[in-house]
């Protein structure tokens, strides 16, 4: 009986190359590594009082996406039995019958592995979207929002170009690794979410600076590392197209970082680290839809053009008066759009066919396929319109439901989302203050006076963690005769 059951569970894996399977498993892990990269990036870009909330949001959203994907989001995006061209069905809900058959995206890998790889794409998309809640969003209502957003926004938009029955797939849209679902989805979705949340208080917009540029740099390079798996893995095998996509990605990112940095120098006279990181990310995003379609020399042009346009695109949020705090639209949506449009000009079958599977797909202008440009343009418009409208509608409905308002209170914005909703902080400034108070000549540390309300001495253990000035008076230290030091956040 037991042997019979084992035989029934056997799956024919002989059609899959073990090297390809191992390669996509590793690529999936690299894509997952982008999630902590976004944690560090967003944390470094925000104020200290809100830094941990963004780490929490990105981390928690990854768990929500994983469960949603397992239950039904994969089926809504990739079920091949749905023929409406817009969204899948529930045929593979709970990953029913998702195991060893050739995947709907590529015959090179089994469907279970394809689901795992696409899960990480969805997780990264939502992680990018979490930048929209920066410094004023409530955390737990946002996590419930993620559940609906993945189901009603990401799954349909992923279905269009990647499902065998998707309307964009049938129409011949060239979207290699997610210019529509990932970049427009997160960038335009973030813009819509920010619009519903409203602008931060004016006091939060004055003299705003990233609190930790080192974290921004670390997060950017982690993203670059993971992006190799993101783009090269989208060839769905250890083949020459994967290598080509990886090199295109690095060229685009490098030129993007240099271009943005030089543009910032023209204005500020400084070679800013934030500018270098911003341009690098813009180049990586632009390479997402194009790296498996265009020649290497075209990526040189793309990196420069995308970075320059995204640099100037950071001003769009001021024109439309939407507080896109972390520039999701300029960095992701705009760069993704540029990459998609470049496919209309520079995509070529000579690159596409390097995987040995897609040998009959035409490119763009380089292959004299002139209609490809308007196909790409129409796809961009459809993605932008659908993502913005549906994201804004979901967010608006949430804000109308008692207890699910997505916007934090003015008090929470003032003291910081970390203190208001998490109760923990990225750094323990209690320890910093304690060490500061103990500084003095070696061997001559005075005894600390005990707190006694009658002697007028107020002892501050923690300084100011909430970006609020200390309300009590700092009495002079009885031994040193100097005013107690300011807390770290008073100097910010």
């Amino acid at each position: 009986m037991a042997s019979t059951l084992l035989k029934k569970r056997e799956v024919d894996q002989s059609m899959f190359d073990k090297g390809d399977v191992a390669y996509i498993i590793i690529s999936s892990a690299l894509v997952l590594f982008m999630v902590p990269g976004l944690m560090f990036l967003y944390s470094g870009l925000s104020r200290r009082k809100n830094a941990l909330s963004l780490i929490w949001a990105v981390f928690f959203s990854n768990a929500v996406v994983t469960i949603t994907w397992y239950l039904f989001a994969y089926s809504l995006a990739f079920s091949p039995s749905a023929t409406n061209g817009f969204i899948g069905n529930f045929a593979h809900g709970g990953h029913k019958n998702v195991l060893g058959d050739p995947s709907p995206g590529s015959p090179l890998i089994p469907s279970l592995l394809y689901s795992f790889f696409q899960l990480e794409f969805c997780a990264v998309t939502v992680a990018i979207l979490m930048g929209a809640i920066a410094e004023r969003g409530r955390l737990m209502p946002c996590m419930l929002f993620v559940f609906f957003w993945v189901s009603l926004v990401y799954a349909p938009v992923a279905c269009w170009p990647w499902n065998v029955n998707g309307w964009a797939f049938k129409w011949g849209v060239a979207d290699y690794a997610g210019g529509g679902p990932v970049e427009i989805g997160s960038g335009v979705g973030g813009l819509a979410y920010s619009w519903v949340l409203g602008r931060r208080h004016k006091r939060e917009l004055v003299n705003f600076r990233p609190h930790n540029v080192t974290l921004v740099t670390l997060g950017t390079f982690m993203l670059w590392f993971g992006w190799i798996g993101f783009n090269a893995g989208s060839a769905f095998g250890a083949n020459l197209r994967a290598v080509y996509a990886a090199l295109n990605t690095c060229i685009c990112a490098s030129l993007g970082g240099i271009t943005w940095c030089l543009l910032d120098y023209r204005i500020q006279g400084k070679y800013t680290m934030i500018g270098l990181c911003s341009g690098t990310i813009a180049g990586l995003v632009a390479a997402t839809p194009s790296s498996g379609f265009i020649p290497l020399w075209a990526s040189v042009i793309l990196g420069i053009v995308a970075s320059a346009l995204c640099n100037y695109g950071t001003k769009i949020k001021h024109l439309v008066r939407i507080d896109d705090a972390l520039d999701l639209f300029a960095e992701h949506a705009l760069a993704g759009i540029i990459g998609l449009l470049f496919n209309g000009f520079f995509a070529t079958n000579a690159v596409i066919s390097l995987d040995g599977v897609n040998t009959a797909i035409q490119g763009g202008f380089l292959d004299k396929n002139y209609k490809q440009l308007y196909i790409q343009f129409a796809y961009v418009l459809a993605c932008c319109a659908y993502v913005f409208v549906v994201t804004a509608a979901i967010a608006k409905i949430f804000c109308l439901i008692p207890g699910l308002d997505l916007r934090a209170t003015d008090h929470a914005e003032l003291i910081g989302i970390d203190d208001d909703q998490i109760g923990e902080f990225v750094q323990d400034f209690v320890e910093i203050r304690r060490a500061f108070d103990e500084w003095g000549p070696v061997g001559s540390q005075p005894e600390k006076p005990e707190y006694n309300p009658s002697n007028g001495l107020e002892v501050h253990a923690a300084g100011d963690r909430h970006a609020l000035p200390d309300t009590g008076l700092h009495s002079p230290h009885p031994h040193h005769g100097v005013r107690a030091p300011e807390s770290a956040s008073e100097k910010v």
Side-chain angles (χ1 to χ4, degrees):
M1 181 66 178
S3 61
T4 304
L5 289 174
L6 286 173
K7 286 180 180 178
K8 286 183 179 179
R9 292 177 184 174
E10 285 181 0
V11 178
D12 181 15
Q13 303 180 51
S14 60
M15 68 185 79
F16 306 115
D17 185 275
K18 291 184 178 180
D20 288 341
V21 171
Y23 172 72
I24 300 303
I25 292 174
I26 294 171
S27 295
S28 303
L30 289 175
V31 178
L32 177 60
F33 191 65
M34 295 170 68
V35 174
L38 286 161
M39 292 182 200
F40 290 132
L41 176 70
Y42 286 171
S43 177
L45 285 172
S46 67
R47 283 185 173 85
R48 190 191 72 217
K49 65 179 180 177
N50 301 303
L52 188 62
S53 65
L54 288 167
I55 293 177
W56 188 99
V58 172
F59 198 130
F60 201 103
S61 70
N62 181 72
V64 175
V65 168
T66 301
I67 299 304
T68 309
W69 192 259
Y70 161 71
L71 291 176
F72 52 79
Y74 169 76
S75 188
L76 290 178
F78 295 106
S79 175
S81 60
T83 58
N84 59 68
F86 177 76
I87 192 171
N89 54 31
F90 294 99
H92 295 296
H95 274 54
K96 180 182 178 182
N97 297 324
V98 179
L99 192 58
D101 294 331
S103 75
S106 171
L108 298 176
I109 59 173
S111 56
L112 186 63
L113 178 55
Y114 184 74
S115 173
F116 178 51
F117 185 65
Q118 290 291 350
L119 160 63
E120 304 311 335
F121 271 51
C122 185
V124 168
T125 304
V126 173
I128 298 169
L129 180 66
M130 290 300 97
I133 74 169
E135 308 210 321
R136 66 205 190 278
R138 293 180 65 205
L139 295 176
M140 197 52 71
C142 180
M143 296 304 106
L144 185 57
F145 169 89
V146 165
F147 177 83
F148 288 96
W149 191 87
V150 170
S151 308
L152 300 177
V153 178
Y154 183 84
V157 179
C159 174
W160 299 351
W162 292 335
N163 190 310
V164 291
N165 292 313
W167 67 262
F169 180 86
K170 289 183 174 181
W171 201 26
V173 166
D175 188 354
Y176 177 64
V182 178
E183 307 305 352
I184 293 178
S186 59
V188 174
L191 189 71
Y193 196 98
S194 298
W195 175 63
V196 174
L197 278 188
R199 297 172 65 81
R200 286 168 289 176
H201 195 282
K202 188 178 293 186
R203 66 174 175 266
E204 301 298 321
L205 300 174
V206 176
N207 196 29
F208 173 75
R209 285 181 141 186
H211 97 280
N212 193 321
V213 179
T214 302
L215 283 183
V216 175
T217 308
L218 175 63
T220 300
F221 225 89
M222 289 173 68
L223 284 173
W224 192 338
F225 182 73
W227 228 297
I228 302 299
F230 196 96
N231 288 351
S234 292
F236 299 114
N239 51 57
L240 199 54
R241 191 184 187 193
V243 180
Y244 210 93
L247 186 53
N248 264 337
T249 300
C250 291
I251 291 172
C252 211
S254 300
L255 268 296
I258 292 170
T259 301
W260 194 302
C261 195
L262 293 178
L263 284 173
D264 277 3
Y265 181 83
R266 178 182 62 84
I267 298 171
Q268 304 177 19
K270 305 288 184 182
Y271 301 107
T272 65
M273 193 68 229
I274 296 293
L276 181 58
C277 291
S278 298
T280 299
I281 292 172
L284 290 168
V285 171
T288 299
S290 63
S291 57
F293 282 98
I294 66 176
L296 297 176
W297 59 263
S299 284
V300 174
I301 303 171
L302 177 58
I304 296 170
V305 171
S307 182
L309 292 180
C310 291
N311 183 287
Y312 290 107
T314 58
K315 312 303 178 187
I316 293 175
K317 64 182 181 182
H318 302 298
L319 297 176
V320 298
R321 296 191 60 76
I322 296 178
D323 186 11
D324 184 8
L326 300 184
D327 289 314
L328 300 189
F329 179 79
E331 287 273 23
H332 293 275
L334 192 54
I337 290 169
I338 294 167
L340 285 167
L341 295 180
F342 258 62
N343 285 344
F345 290 105
F346 301 109
T348 175
N349 179 262
V351 176
I352 300 169
S353 61
L354 289 174
D355 60 6
V357 176
N358 298 290
T359 56
I361 296 178
Q362 283 186 300
F365 277 31
L366 289 184
D367 289 349
K368 299 182 180 180
N369 181 27
Y370 302 112
K371 67 178 183 180
Q372 191 65 42
L373 184 58
Y374 76 73
I375 290 175
Q376 297 297 110
F377 187 74
Y379 172 67
V380 165
L381 290 180
C383 289
C384 289
Y386 180 82
V387 170
F388 189 91
V389 171
V390 179
T391 301
I394 298 171
K396 283 284 189 182
I397 292 171
F398 264 70
C399 291
L400 295 175
I401 300 174
L404 293 182
D405 192 356
L406 299 173
R407 176 71 187 246
T409 63
D410 285 346
H411 178 68
E413 187 179 347
L414 181 65
I415 67 173
I417 305 300
D418 292 359
D419 193 14
D420 180 69
Q421 296 180 47
I422 298 179
E424 298 170 327
F425 308 91
V426 288
Q427 287 129 351
D428 182 6
F429 283 92
V430 174
E431 294 296 335
I432 291 175
R433 182 58 180 265
R434 188 178 298 128
F436 202 111
D437 287 341
E438 290 175 353
W439 287 353
V442 178
S444 62
Q445 295 291 344
E447 265 186 42
K448 289 190 175 180
E450 293 184 4
Y451 173 68
N452 184 350
S454 63
N455 65 16
L457 178 64
E458 185 174 351
V459 179
H460 292 273
D464 170 22
R465 296 186 297 188
H466 317 305
L468 289 171
D470 288 334
T471 54
L473 295 176
H474 293 277
S475 298
H477 194 290
H479 296 277
H480 293 159
V482 295
R483 184 183 183 274
E486 293 179 338
S487 64
S489 60
E490 285 180 61
K491 300 177 182 178
V492 176

